[in-house]
Amino acid sequence: MGRPQLLLPLCASVSLLGGLTFGYELAVVSGALLPLQLDFGLSCLEQELLVGSLLLGALLASLVGGVLIDQYGRKQAILGSNVVLLAGSLSLSLAGSLAWLVLGRLVAGFAISLSSMACCIYVSELVGPRQRGVLVSLYEAGITLGILLSYALNYALAGAPGGWRHMFGWAAVPALLQSLSLFCLPAGTTEAAARRDLIPLQGGEATKLGRPRYSLLDLFRARDNMRGRTMVGLGLVIFQQLTGQPNVLCYASTIFHSVGFRGGSSAVLASVGLGAVKVVSTLTALGLVDRAGRRALLLAGCALMALSVSGIGLVSFAAPMDSSPSCLAVPNASRPAGLPGDSSLPGAVVSPPPLPVTSENQGKPVPPTSMKIKPHPKAGNRTAPPLPALGTAAPAPPSAPEHALQHWTALVCMMVFVSAFSFGFGPVTWLVLSEIYPVAIRGRAFAFCNSFNWASNLLVSLSFLHLIGTIGLSWTFLLYGLTAVLGLGFIYAFVPETKGQSLAEIDQQFQKRRFALSFGHRQSSTSIPYTRIEVSATS
């Protein structure tokens, strides 16, 4: 009798703790990078290697993780990823060289990517349609909370001896708590075990779940409209990244600096302010995703993203801001290196130690440049590697009143952009992906789309500074705005409304229609009765 009552809280904890681990691992490197520079003397290339190794591991998991999820089950995949994460955290905490650091980040990236896919699928299959939207979206809320938690621990441990080892080690705590919750839940969808908890009744008879066989090539075939489903999945993850949301956060410190917040206050305000906006917006999505629906949030979010990012581009025409990319920075002479809060995310300007004085550079001024580390943009955007920041180290002269107004307008646009992503593309993309594919291929299909998410994020991130150098900052943001408009059209035409529908019914509707256009306007089926039956599986 107790298990059905505990099912929803346990599923919520699995989703929330999984996202917490993901967000923490993505953002913790921002606070660890500065002490790592001091301890290991890392060059810019070595820093990029350390930060990018997480992305490489995540991309690898997206290529092979789908097979693991479908073959061994969702629950086993999550537990296995937590074991891998513990190994990665141990490697990072005990690392004595750059090689061990890179290996630990690579392993951790593989673990959080595999866990993110398995968690969304597992929770979506384990609960009914009325709770599915909230519980799956809790993963995105966990990501934002994990980022904020990493800020807090980075601040607290920044001045401690070997503090970076503790920063990496604390990632194991939410993974262990998630594993404890999993031991109290059913095994998953191997032989449809997870969906035996809530079975939709249509005409008084339980829907029988078949197990058709699918290959990865079926994702591009007309069978069961798999081609249409793949179009929806790939379209969402690609437009999610091509709107440039990873890079808008990268420019946060420049906008804050232009408004007049300088020094440590700029970094704290950028990290805490944007982090708070993301948390509030994600929590808003939790309350609306099962009421307003998936399409409504995606359409509203994408429209606001198009308007806000275009606004940043238009404002930068009238009030140009420094946009020169750089890597090294002169440390702040008025503040000791390693002061808590100096490397907060996002938008924090990290000041590496000064270059060693040699016969070649003695007496030569070091150019005022900076590096900024940015965390997972959404989650969501779940895949944003830190980028070299736009130069903002040199203090800006007082701006004219009209320029101050334009800078504040750019700041508001940036906040709106972050908010729109956090209640639109951020949580809803992964919810839709966990719903639209048949159970027999859901793991591989989710992983296939996720690999394009990581790859497109890498492309957007690496092309940002090149775009600025080629067409300028204003046109870069306007290009992102145009992409968001195209994404809005795609969502309107092809993305279905799955609110209140069982997974079996969503599958049936995709099979009946070649395109998702008419499916997007179909009424929901919240009136379908559900019955809860006892689950005998305990593992």
Side-chain angles (χ1 to χ4, degrees):
M1 293 296 293
R3 178 161 298 164
Q5 297 174 356
L6 292 177
L7 177 66
L8 293 181
L10 288 173
C11 287
S13 67
V14 168
S15 185
L16 185 65
L17 290 170
L20 190 69
T21 306
F22 190 103
Y24 184 89
E25 279 287 3
L26 281 176
V28 70
V29 71
S30 69
L33 199 57
L34 180 58
L36 284 173
Q37 289 173 335
L38 299 175
D39 288 354
F40 293 95
L42 301 180
S43 66
C44 291
L45 179 61
E46 289 171 336
Q47 294 174 45
E48 292 173 351
L49 177 63
L50 177 60
V51 171
S53 57
L54 185 83
L55 176 62
L56 180 60
L59 180 59
L60 179 62
S62 68
L63 296 177
V64 303
V67 177
L68 300 176
I69 294 172
D70 281 339
Q71 182 172 351
Y72 297 102
R74 285 65 161 138
K75 178 180 176 180
Q76 287 76 11
I78 301 173
L79 290 172
S81 68
N82 287 342
V83 173
V84 174
L85 181 67
L86 292 177
S89 298
L90 185 64
S91 174
L92 288 166
S93 299
L94 302 178
S97 65
L98 176 63
W100 281 105
L101 288 170
V102 170
L103 178 62
R105 292 278 292 173
L106 187 72
V107 170
F110 184 94
I112 62 173
S113 179
L114 177 60
S115 177
S116 69
M117 296 183 290
C119 277
C120 292
I121 297 173
Y122 181 69
V123 173
S124 72
E125 294 173 337
L126 202 60
V127 300
R130 296 183 181 181
Q131 299 87 19
R132 188 170 62 241
V134 171
L135 292 181
V136 176
S137 298
L138 268 177
Y139 192 92
E140 185 71 21
I143 291 176
T144 59
L145 291 174
I147 293 173
L148 286 179
L149 177 62
S150 71
Y151 298 162
L153 285 180
N154 288 349
Y155 184 93
L157 298 173
W164 60 269
R165 299 184 184 274
H166 299 284
M167 294 177 191
F168 288 127
W170 275 103
V173 175
L176 289 173
L177 293 176
Q178 185 193 46
S179 299
L180 293 178
S181 298
L182 284 168
F183 287 128
C184 302
L185 287 170
T189 55
T190 303
E191 302 302 330
R195 293 215 329 215
R196 287 184 293 171
D197 274 81
L198 289 167
I199 298 182
L201 300 180
Q202 302 185 23
E205 295 183 359
T207 302
K208 295 184 178 179
L209 300 174
R211 295 281 293 181
R213 293 182 178 272
Y214 294 97
S215 68
L216 194 61
L217 292 178
D218 286 328
L219 293 176
F220 308 98
R221 292 171 179 161
R223 175 191 176 188
D224 295 336
N225 196 19
M226 294 297 293
R227 187 182 301 152
R229 305 179 202 226
T230 303
M231 179 184 66
V232 170
L234 289 181
L236 285 177
V237 298
I238 291 176
F239 277 114
Q240 180 192 53
Q241 299 299 331
L242 293 185
T243 51
Q245 64 86 24
N247 298 328
V248 171
L249 286 179
C250 183
Y251 203 62
S253 63
T254 296
I255 298 177
F256 274 89
H257 192 271
S258 300
V259 173
F261 298 97
R262 296 178 173 84
S265 64
S266 175
V268 172
L269 184 59
S271 59
V272 176
L274 290 182
V277 167
K278 288 179 69 65
V279 170
V280 171
S281 300
T282 305
L283 293 178
T284 301
L286 293 180
L288 295 176
V289 69
D290 284 321
R291 297 181 182 179
R294 285 66 156 153
R295 274 174 58 87
L297 291 183
L298 284 172
L299 289 171
C302 196
L304 285 175
M305 289 174 68
L307 291 174
S308 56
V309 77
S310 299
I312 298 175
L314 292 175
V315 167
S316 63
F317 270 122
M321 290 173 285
D322 181 26
S323 60
S324 56
S326 54
C327 182
L328 296 176
V330 176
N332 191 338
S334 63
R335 188 170 63 239
L339 183 67
D342 280 0
S343 55
S344 299
L345 266 168
V349 176
V350 178
S351 298
L355 290 174
V357 178
T358 66
S359 58
E360 298 178 359
N361 62 17
Q362 187 173 6
K364 296 182 180 180
V366 181
T369 54
S370 62
M371 166 178 255
K372 178 178 61 182
I373 305 303
K374 78 178 184 63
H376 165 275
K378 66 141 155 112
N381 177 6
R382 306 179 177 205
T383 60
L387 287 176
L390 307 177
T392 61
S399 58
E402 61 273 14
H403 281 184
L405 176 62
Q406 291 159 353
H407 288 150
W408 277 105
T409 303
L411 174 62
V412 171
C413 287
M414 185 183 65
M415 302 292 265
V416 172
F417 184 90
V418 171
S419 177
F421 178 85
S422 298
F423 74 75
F425 271 128
V428 179
T429 296
W430 310 107
L431 173 59
V432 172
L433 282 178
S434 68
E435 295 175 326
I436 62 177
Y437 288 104
V439 63
I441 197 176
R442 189 169 293 141
R444 284 167 289 170
F446 196 108
F448 176 77
C449 293
N450 195 32
S451 66
F452 275 81
N453 177 68
W454 289 97
S456 58
N457 174 271
L458 182 61
L459 174 65
V460 171
S461 300
L462 293 179
S463 65
F464 183 49
L465 297 178
H466 295 286
L467 274 176
I468 291 177
T470 303
I471 65 177
L473 178 67
S474 301
W475 285 109
T476 298
F477 281 138
L478 289 176
L479 179 62
Y480 290 153
L482 176 61
T483 306
V485 171
L486 296 177
L488 185 65
F490 173 84
I491 294 169
Y492 181 81
F494 299 110
V495 177
E497 178 56 76
T498 58
K499 177 187 69 175
Q501 300 179 35
S502 68
L503 297 177
E505 185 181 17
I506 295 171
D507 185 37
Q508 292 170 6
Q509 295 303 323
F510 262 107
Q511 292 182 30
K512 291 178 181 177
R513 288 171 171 81
R514 180 174 295 273
F515 297 105
L517 179 60
S518 59
F519 180 35
H521 300 280
R522 187 181 183 278
Q523 71 273 18
S524 64
S525 56
T526 54
S527 59
I528 295 178
Y530 284 79
T531 182
R532 189 183 296 277
I533 65 176
E534 196 71 24
V535 177
S536 59
T538 59
S539 60

